């Protein structure tokens, strides 16, 4: 059975778009700055549109870049800030109890959304870790196959030397060819980008013969 997959998969679109997450300071500041911008637009722009839904963007960005704790904290802060904007827009006509209820609802929804997002991210990380471990196992099985199947020739030369005899030119040539073949196969293994996997006796190994 053969399976083929990319040894080095291309970077996903979201990883390209969220490049700033690699900068710790920028990852903390960017969601806050984006939230302030959305809240100011909601408060100052003379339109009946509701911009609160756009607050999900900095919330998800914070969770992706800085973890669930930062996401939950920002979610509750945004819930309070959004209700403050609503209170200002209504001219103080909204009751404190209604505002507190809306804060609780928005904060709870934000927490659940952060939890769901974090769960998806952790699942993706576990999948990537499993794939790396699987690739390592397949590589070790392949290296073992490359070396073990060719050790017999080298061991024969060692046995001759242990007996105090001199290996023949043919034996030395064969041993040198085996070493060169091992080096060549290991070099091919190290350069692979697209990997074809074969199953041998229930164990997966990289099929070098099927590589382009």
């Amino acid at each position: 059975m053969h399976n083929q997959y990319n040894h080095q998969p291309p970077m996903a679109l979201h990883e390209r778009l969220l490049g700033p997450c690699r900068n710790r300071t920028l990852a903390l500041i960017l969601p806050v700055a984006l939230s302030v911008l959305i809240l100011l637009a909601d408060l100052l722009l003379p339109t009946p549109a509701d911009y609160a839904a756009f607050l999900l963007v900095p919330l998800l960005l914070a969770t992706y870049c800085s973890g669930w704790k930062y996401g939950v904290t920002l979610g509750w802060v945004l819930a309070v800030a959004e209700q403050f904007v609503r209170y200002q827009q209504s001219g103080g006509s909204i009751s404190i109890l209604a505002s507190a209820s809306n804060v609780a609802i928005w904060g709870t929804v934000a927490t659940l959304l952060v939890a769901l997002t974090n769960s998806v991210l952790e699942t993706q990380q576990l999948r990537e870790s499993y794939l790396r471990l699987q690739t390592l196992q397949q590589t070790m099985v392949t290296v073992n196959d490359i070396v073990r199947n060719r050790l017999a020739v080298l061991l024969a030369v060692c046995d001759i030397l242990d007996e105090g005899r001199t290996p023949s030119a043919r034996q030395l040539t064969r041993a040198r060819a085996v070493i060169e073949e091992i080096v060549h196969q290991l070099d091919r293994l190290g350069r692979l980008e697209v990997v074809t996997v074969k199953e041998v006796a229930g164990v997966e190994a990289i099929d070098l013969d099927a590589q382009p």
Side-chain angles (χ1 to χ4, degrees), residues 78-94:
L78 291 179
V80 174
E82 197 274 336
Q83 287 307 306
F84 175 78
V85 170
R86 292 287 166 267
Y87 184 81
Q88 293 297 319
Q89 289 176 334
S90 68
S93 61
I94 300 178

Side-chain angles (χ1 to χ4, degrees), residues 22-88:
R22 299 186 182 94
N23 187 312
R24 179 64 178 173
T25 302
L26 190 58
L28 293 174
I29 294 176
L30 188 59
V32 175
L34 189 57
S35 300
V36 171
L37 182 62
I38 295 171
L39 290 170
L40 287 176
D42 198 10
L43 179 63
L44 301 177
L45 290 180
T47 62
D50 187 357
Y51 295 92
F54 289 104
L55 293 174
L56 295 178
V57 175
L59 181 64
L60 296 177
L61 183 63
T63 304
Y64 181 88
C65 294
S66 303
W68 67 269
K69 292 181 180 179
Y70 186 56
V72 170
T73 302
L74 183 62
W76 281 96
V77 170
L78 291 179
V80 174
E82 197 274 336
Q83 287 307 306
F84 175 78
V85 170
R86 292 287 166 267
Y87 184 81
Q88 293 297 319

Side-chain angles (χ1 to χ4, degrees), residues 4-212:
Q4 192 173 65
Y5 59 92
N6 287 330
H7 187 59
Q8 296 178 342
M11 183 179 294
L13 178 60
H14 72 275
E15 293 176 333
R16 299 178 185 175
L17 295 177
L18 298 178
C21 288
R22 299 186 182 94
N23 187 312
R24 179 64 178 173
T25 302
L26 190 58
L28 293 174
I29 294 176
L30 188 59
V32 175
L34 189 57
S35 300
V36 171
L37 182 62
I38 295 171
L39 290 170
L40 287 176
D42 198 10
L43 179 63
L44 301 177
L45 290 180
T47 62
D50 187 357
Y51 295 92
F54 289 104
L55 293 174
L56 295 178
V57 175
L59 181 64
L60 296 177
L61 183 63
T63 304
Y64 181 88
C65 294
S66 303
W68 67 269
K69 292 181 180 179
Y70 186 56
V72 170
T73 302
L74 183 62
W76 281 96
V77 170
L78 291 179
V80 174
E82 197 274 336
Q83 287 307 306
F84 175 78
V85 170
R86 292 287 166 267
Y87 184 81
Q88 293 297 319
Q89 289 176 334
S90 68
S93 61
I94 300 178
S95 67
I96 300 298
L97 181 59
S99 296
S101 299
N102 289 333
V103 167
I105 293 172
W106 271 90
T108 302
V109 171
T111 301
L112 293 176
L113 183 60
V114 168
L116 179 61
T117 303
N118 187 69
S119 176
V120 172
L121 293 175
E122 288 184 347
T123 301
Q124 179 65 20
Q125 291 173 354
L126 289 175
R127 179 178 178 274
E128 292 175 353
S129 298
Y130 170 75
L131 289 177
R132 285 194 293 268
L133 181 60
Q134 186 182 45
T135 301
L136 176 61
Q137 181 185 38
Q138 293 167 353
T139 302
M140 295 306 299
V141 171
T142 305
V143 170
N144 181 67
D145 181 65
I146 292 173
V147 176
R148 176 178 292 182
N149 290 343
R150 294 163 178 81
L151 282 180
V153 176
L154 300 180
L155 289 175
V157 174
C158 291
D159 291 339
I160 293 174
L161 293 175
D162 287 341
E163 294 172 1
R165 296 184 291 122
T166 302
S168 65
R170 181 179 179 181
Q171 290 171 326
L172 291 176
T173 300
R174 176 57 180 160
R176 184 177 292 106
V178 167
I179 294 174
E180 291 176 352
E181 185 179 2
I182 292 175
V183 172
H184 174 68
Q185 295 281 43
L186 293 178
D187 183 66
R188 286 182 60 197
L189 181 63
R191 295 175 182 272
L192 290 180
E193 293 185 0
V194 177
V195 174
T196 301
V197 176
K198 64 180 178 180
E199 185 173 332
V200 180
V203 180
E204 288 189 343
I206 298 173
D207 189 0
L208 289 176
D209 295 332
Q211 306 305 321

